[in-house]
Amino acid sequence: MTSLPLIPAASGAPAARRAAMPPRHLADLDLPGRQAAVTELGEPAFRAKQMSTHYFGRLVRDPAAMTDLPAAVREKLAGELLPTLLTPVRELACDDGATRKALWRLHDGSLVESVLMGYADRVTVCISSQAGCGMACPFCATGQAGLTRNLSTAEIVDQAVYLAGVAASGAVAGSPSRLSHVVFMGMGEPLANYARVVAAIRRLVAPAPEGLGLSQRHITVSTVGLVPAIRKLAGEDLSVTLALSLHAPDDELRDELVPVNQRWKVSEVLDAAWDYAARTGRRVSIEYAMIRDVNDQPWRADLLGRLLAGKLAHVNLIPLNPTPGSRWDASPKPVEREFVRRLRAAGVSTTVRDTRGREIDGACGQLAAAEDTDRDAPPGATA
């Protein structure tokens, strides 16, 4: 296995390179902030509630449809508080329409992805928090692409609002029409964009018209293990689920698969996770991508079981969705079943994630990578 460069201990998480953030949007602000912005534009404060009711309550993102605002007022307020943040590039569906993946171009040309997944009892959206990712996990399409920049709070929220509107339209047959769950498992490391991600969570859970009115317990934030940020999140008075992308129970392998482990070792990351569980009462989800002949050995299942036994944790095994041309592949099903058996024998709650979206470049970053390839290819080339 090729060694990856060490991350200097003093550097912490890699920072996004400087890039122009998008213009201000009402989702960047709480309701008092929107009211202040509206009055600064010479309009009465109640206009902020009107706009917020359209955007968060009715899932209307087009200012032209906000017809209870006078046309001249609407144009002025929309120009300042409702800029276009996400321009659709591709929208693909599979699983009889139950899985829908959207690729967006941002104002600076950056590409991000989000996914809607409909089930019989819920509708979940998976959203991105960064354009690209700086964590450099070698089996991840987004990690291979590197980090472009952090997303703004509104760029994060707007993904959820758009897909909530798709669900509300009845486009996902056999599923509820209301968005119920949001997972921060799209492109990027959420806790490396900490302030904006926490602000986005507060918009998602605030009652309408300030926000979408989702349950905190239906929000999941994924991380590769940025220990200081995990501890900070524990103090935010939020009851969101923490999902720890562990992928290996031993430091030797995790240093390779999750390079930030070179800064914060398995024991440190798990200690922070258990502290989070103790402070919030929320069970930690341990994410573990099953990679053939890399991290799927029986002894690693046994070691993981010993680390997690008796803890407030659940293991979510993820059959790897390999990226095109990658040397990484998913573990065979018999190997996966033995891994599950050993974890359960250790008393650890374990499930295997439902595989969705393989035929629509379902792995995070695949669709953006395909779009970049198409865009950069010479005329007539086939990506």
Side-chain angles (χ1 to χ4, degrees), residues 286-306:
I286 303 295
E287 309 291 300
Y288 198 101
M290 293 292 288
I291 310 173
R292 180 193 293 263
D293 300 328
V294 174
N295 66 347
D296 58 0
Q297 299 86 355
W299 72 264
R300 283 198 162 95
D302 294 340
L303 175 56
L304 184 61
R306 291 195 296 273

Side-chain angles (χ1 to χ4, degrees), residues 180-333:
S180 55
H181 293 68
V182 173
V183 296
F184 285 78
M185 292 182 175
M187 299 175 71
E189 161 56 51
L191 297 188
N193 188 15
Y194 185 90
R196 296 183 183 95
V197 164
V198 169
I201 292 170
R202 297 197 187 282
R203 303 292 177 274
L204 294 174
V205 303
E210 183 165 1
L212 273 180
L214 302 182
S215 167
Q216 291 187 25
R217 291 176 171 266
H218 290 173
I219 307 290
T220 298
V221 178
S222 176
T223 180
V224 294
L226 306 188
V227 169
I230 294 172
R231 296 192 181 282
K232 186 175 181 181
L233 184 64
E236 292 285 356
D237 195 28
L238 290 169
S239 298
V240 301
T241 297
L242 179 72
L244 174 59
S245 296
L246 194 66
H247 304 312
D250 55 304
D251 286 322
E252 181 180 5
L253 179 58
R254 195 167 191 266
D255 282 351
E256 300 279 355
L257 295 182
V258 186
V260 78
N261 196 74
Q262 298 163 28
R263 174 62 179 88
W264 294 290
K265 297 300 184 181
V266 170
S267 60
E268 296 174 84
V269 173
L270 290 178
D271 282 348
W274 307 148
D275 287 348
Y276 182 89
R279 293 190 64 175
T280 63
R282 302 291 291 146
R283 184 174 68 171
V284 174
S285 179
I286 303 295
E287 309 291 300
Y288 198 101
M290 293 292 288
I291 310 173
R292 180 193 293 263
D293 300 328
V294 174
N295 66 347
D296 58 0
Q297 299 86 355
W299 72 264
R300 283 198 162 95
D302 294 340
L303 175 56
L304 184 61
R306 291 195 296 273
L307 290 174
L308 304 185
K311 301 297 186 181
L312 192 60
H314 172 88
V315 174
N316 186 21
L317 294 181
I318 307 165
L320 187 72
N321 191 352
T323 59
S326 172
R327 64 187 178 93
W328 311 94
D329 200 1
S331 301
K333 285 300 176 182

Side-chain angles (χ1 to χ4, degrees), residues 12 33 35 38 53 58 63 81 84 99 114 146 184 196 207 221 289 291 305 315 320 369 371:
Q35 292 169 336
V38 165
T53 298
R58 299 171 187 160
L81 290 172
T84 298
T99 303
S114 43
F184 285 78
R196 296 183 183 95
V221 178
I291 310 173
V315 174
L320 187 72
E371 174 64 20

